[in-house]
Amino acid sequence: MAARQLSVVSVGAHQDDELGCLGTLIRYHQQGWRITTVSVSNGDKGGQHDPSIPHAVIAQTRIEEATRVAGELDGRYFCLGQEDGFVFDSREVRLALAGILRSVEADVVITLPPADYNNDHVMAGQIALHASLLAAVNVIDTDAPPLPRAPFVLHMDTIVGLDFQPTHYVDISDQFAEKARLLRLHDSQMRSQPNITGWDLVTHAEVVGRFRGQQCGVHYAEGFRPVLRTPLLRPGWMLPQ
Amino acid sequence: MAARQLSVVSVGAHQDDELGCLGTLIRYHQQGWRITTVSVSNGDKGGQHDPSIPHAVIAQTRIEEATRVAGELDGRYFCLGQEDGFVFDSREVRLALAGILRSVEADVVITLPPADYNNDHVMAGQIALHASLLAAVNVIDTDAPPLPRAPFVLHMDTIVGLDFQPTHYVDISDQFAEKARLLRLHDSQMRSQPNITGWDLVTHAEVVGRFRGQQCGVHYAEGFRPVLRTPLLRPGWMLPQ
Amino acid sequence: MAARQLSVVSVGAHQDDELGCLGTLIRYHQQGWRITTVSVSNGDKGGQHDPSIPHAVIAQTRIEEATRVAGELDGRYFCLGQEDGFVFDSREVRLALAGILRSVEADVVITLPPADYNNDHVMAGQIALHASLLAAVNVIDTDAPPLPRAPFVLHMDTIVGLDFQPTHYVDISDQFAEKARLLRLHDSQMRSQPNITGWDLVTHAEVVGRFRGQQCGVHYAEGFRPVLRTPLLRPGWMLPQ
Amino acid sequence: MAARQLSVVSVGAHQDDELGCLGTLIRYHQQGWRITTVSVSNGDKGGQHDPSIPHAVIAQTRIEEATRVAGELDGRYFCLGQEDGFVFDSREVRLALAGILRSVEADVVITLPPADYNNDHVMAGQIALHASLLAAVNVIDTDAPPLPRAPFVLHMDTIVGLDFQPTHYVDISDQFAEKARLLRLHDSQMRSQPNITGWDLVTHAEVVGRFRGQQCGVHYAEGFRPVLRTPLLRPGWMLPQ
Amino acid sequence: MAARQLSVVSVGAHQDDELGCLGTLIRYHQQGWRITTVSVSNGDKGGQHDPSIPHAVIAQTRIEEATRVAGELDGRYFCLGQEDGFVFDSREVRLALAGILRSVEADVVITLPPADYNNDHVMAGQIALHASLLAAVNVIDTDAPPLPRAPFVLHMDTIVGLDFQPTHYVDISDQFAEKARLLRLHDSQMRSQPNITGWDLVTHAEVVGRFRGQQCGVHYAEGFRPVLRTPLLRPGWMLPQ
Amino acid sequence: MAARQLSVVSVGAHQDDELGCLGTLIRYHQQGWRITTVSVSNGDKGGQHDPSIPHAVIAQTRIEEATRVAGELDGRYFCLGQEDGFVFDSREVRLALAGILRSVEADVVITLPPADYNNDHVMAGQIALHASLLAAVNVIDTDAPPLPRAPFVLHMDTIVGLDFQPTHYVDISDQFAEKARLLRLHDSQMRSQPNITGWDLVTHAEVVGRFRGQQCGVHYAEGFRPVLRTPLLRPGWMLPQ
């Protein structure tokens, strides 16, 4: 595994769905990993703070915001372009994501859990699992060559921790301020999100982060569960230590 | 919340899928709530008692039956028109249902649980959850204006109580006779249902109702579980008390 | 049920174990219910902030603190006197608790869940369930006469929310400040608790309260699950509404 | 397995706890199995219909009733003599039960599940599992010689089906009338049971039996789950077919 | 049930997905049942051992292999023809499978569980459940007449036993050698499978078979769970005894 | 944490209960950790291969075997002396174990899960959890001073993997031969164990180890779950990496 830079990819439905794993991505980055973020949708329903903004403009704004956040981690953001609110699984979206996982040589994929609040999230997680499998299948053609082996895949927490009990905790006490700073770069969503769930992204991160932290005896934590599917499951720990 | 009439919507796959919550709808109605029932499919495979009846005729019959049942509760029935046996999730069906939820100003939605016996039921529940979310998204356009907040959503029992343990029980002892009377208005299904599950609707209601009643110490009850997804989850009790 | 004052009893292992339901007790009190708190142990290991204090002194201090907190709710605190850290189920402790439930004519019992962090908590919950059953058994003799029916029993949240997904949420946004004030009356435990779990009682209440609140769309909430055992289960809602 | 008569033992806390498996015992008997019933307690709190009856008299009455029921199946009833309401696990009770299992050469044991409503039931189930293990341990001495192998152990349903989803169903449609007749032989409990759970034994059997029957497509059924512990688990089916 | 030959159908996503139930199929065959195997996909991504082989050639090879395996059990293999890696539920595939279940007069269907590793597997299981329901619906037209009743449906184990705890075990100790022999007839997959999961089919069968065997006290076993949906659930045992 | 040697303790009911974690202990040892093994019972029922051996002799033999195994890992074995087959929780056994955890400055405790096959195992796990908590309580006196913080506690697999789905896997492919060698040092149990579960210790290790290995893509693995209780839960990974 020597000289190659290790690579982690978060796969969400929307541009700010790394909410549940951003502190962990910061720790990965601090340890030298390559960071990639992906959203399956274009996020074009994210203008709830100002419905007069055209959907296409919001999508573009969010893409720029997500690109900037990824850039702060020396990483790259990819948008798969599906309509927000209407993410469905398909041959095309699976191949597009498999192609990205190959191009960045993913070792770890972190995605949304099946109990999450929005069916776009459920679908994004389903697509991420299947694409992770396909990425190592040598008879599936994409621009990039197949991975030598499928990435290790984990589910992040649901947006408010409902119906999710982590088994893996990452201490992000030292990364929390940076996590909050990066979340604020999703400026449009800082204003839009309260219209859906009642609180902005930083408040969600604060409340869930302290709760998961208290559960494992630190100030802030993020919680995960490994996906119990071969060949996506590995021995040992591939989260930041 | 003052003067506005509160509003509950049951969302099933077929016209008689309020089987698991009809006693509760009767109690809501007695307490002054507005009642709406929705089926995602047209129910056109409901002619099993007489396969010679054309599918379209059965669909029309069932729509009339469901309309009459809703009418007995001073409510309204909506049919989303998908083919019975082949309910799938889609952009169109989600928007159609979100539009209905908006038009009746839904406060509570009761739908079918993910463990139910027929994939039409599973899909109807999935569609109901997503449409409940979309109904309060102000950048999604339908004829009716967005809801000020998403409804509280609960799952009703499965048809024979398999793989479902309620956490919320509603005493329908005083409503059971009326529930049976209304179920008999689904006249075609009283004759068709035994061909699928072995018993008619009133027998299902009787057997499950007594069982759920005995579990909580009353003569007849219906059982529910809140959907554990933000923003569909609320504090307190929004079922009839 | 007319003129009789309704009665709720929280049963914990230690004097501050109403941590998970104190906001709810405040709401019950505001609605005119009779409040009782019980701890199975004497809490004599609560001197971790100053191990030089004799165990018996700590126990006495905690009993006084718990008595004062109950008094602020016009209620009464009972101590069953078992050694802290070594709570076991027995004939005697069951009968003692059943006697208390009878003497205060308990309608609702709130106790600790089986997944809680300390075996004293697990045992207290087990004892509470069995005593609730015995309290209505007319051939079991205690000083007080049998209850006409067993109370409705619920489990409160675990201390840091681990391994517990509520199905019932109570909004305590308006009671949170008072909850914090009452918790501070457990002065010895405000200083001792950080030695075990890392945070004081008010911090636990704050972090868990905001998290459970966010899950159901309010500022602060407490979460519960009904105990799925006959005759302890009832239809409807017996928590504050 | 040749000529030896096969043997099934139901282990409950009280004399009427074969409520959840009596139809199945009748089928076993019809197929030539040897039937044994055991209660861990003496049932001396079963006089709730007439609290003036001394506890010892009730215990004696119930022992006679249970003996008669077992006799109707050409079987035998054993009482382990613990005080009703206060069943605890112990070295003595385990050895007593292991001795019985050996003396009747048990092939199958059916006992109460861990979610049942009364801690006596939970304890009886725990004792039954451990005694089943010990029965085949050749260095544990009892009057009877060790079993050549541990029996296959299953959990029966809870008294009102709460928190129990069977995986194994036995059709007792043709045995239900006989089950009701035998339950009525527990004459004292037909009158006492309504004081605890609200209904008599035959009503419980009727309501749960029809519900479990409807779930698997027959008129009456009883539901079971195999105990997932080696060496108590076996391949194949050892329930009546 | 008299003279009619009983019929079992295994429904997988790929031609070798009877991996989890092949020993059981051998036992069914030995007991005189009619054997049918179905794969929803054409398996055209099974050439991972030699990516130079055209997809269509691989599909054809696998169809021949599966046909031969079924033939060894005097049975028949059906291919539903979907693209491997991209199995989706649809009206057409459901009807095609329902038609097959009717044509072979299925009494039992064994399919893949929802937790399996590949979304093709998850979809195949979902399609199998719905088609089993439709097969007995007399107003759904296919070439073959409707079944008199829906088949009994069970889930087989996941490929490496992840996230699956059987409740039904079938002893295949005496069939294991034959199972291994038949698996080797999937010659292409013996060479391709190690590229996905790391081991060939016989090794999977060996490792999982010994593990499930040890759990129930025999040398080799296969594990199952009944599908908890009416009318697919039955009393008694329809697996080989 | 600097210069102090890290310390892991396995707590079982019997002397060979490190069966589920011995490969992991070998890896800990290779990484310089201090190894301790504890059995709550004296194992005096372990003479099933030769019932003529007095119980006390077997106990002594097993203590010597366990001492030797621990010695091979430069560690120490402690026996808490309870009668085999009759392990119960008590004040004394908790304090004895807490004293050992303190004396070896435990950082990690690995113990038996609540679903294990023998009630001695269930009790040993319960005692281990409570003793781990008490070990850091500064007002509980034992010979050794309190730990600065409670150890991180994990459950190991059940003996044949029943009812246990690991979330944490440790690759023991390179340690398996040594694990087998050390298990054979439990010479008496190599001969006794087949009388209970049907196979000897090495066979259990082989079958479960290959199965858990295959699940996570390696040759041999052991599986674990963190105990979800504060303060026993920690962020990060404390198993061998």
Side-chain angles (χ1 to χ4, degrees), chain B residues 14-20 39 62 66 183 186 189 193 201:
Chain B
H14 311 104
Q15 284 91 344
D16 52 352
D17 285 340
E18 72 274 18
L19 174 63
S39 72
R62 295 184 74 174
L183 284 175
H186 291 289
Q189 297 319 293
Q193 182 68 25
L201 299 175

Side-chain angles (χ1 to χ4, degrees), chain F residues 47-59:
Chain F
Q48 298 185 46
H49 54 298
D50 182 357
S52 70
I53 307 174
H55 291 183
V57 171
I58 280 292

Side-chain angles (χ1 to χ4, degrees), chain E residues 21-111:
Chain E
C21 66
L22 184 53
T24 299
L25 293 182
I26 295 167
R27 286 195 63 182
Y28 273 119
H29 179 241
Q30 289 170 342
Q31 298 180 8
W33 288 52
R34 174 179 186 169
I35 308 297
T36 306
T37 60
V38 180
S39 72
V40 178
S41 91
N42 60 14
D44 71 353
K45 303 303 183 301
Q48 297 185 47
H49 54 298
D50 181 357
S52 70
I53 306 173
H55 291 183
V57 172
I58 281 292
Q60 191 50 42
T61 300
R62 295 184 75 174
I63 289 168
E64 291 164 9
E65 291 166 349
T67 299
R68 186 162 163 214
V69 170
E72 296 278 326
L73 300 171
D74 300 316
R76 193 162 160 210
Y77 160 75
F78 294 87
C79 180
L80 299 183
Q82 290 210 6
E83 182 186 358
D84 189 0
F86 304 99
V87 169
F88 293 102
D89 195 356
S90 70
R91 186 181 200 284
E92 292 66 35
V93 73
R94 291 173 176 190
L95 289 174
L97 181 55
I100 292 168
L101 298 180
R102 288 172 170 186
S103 71
V104 302
E105 300 178 33
D107 295 285
V108 172
V109 168
I110 300 178
T111 191

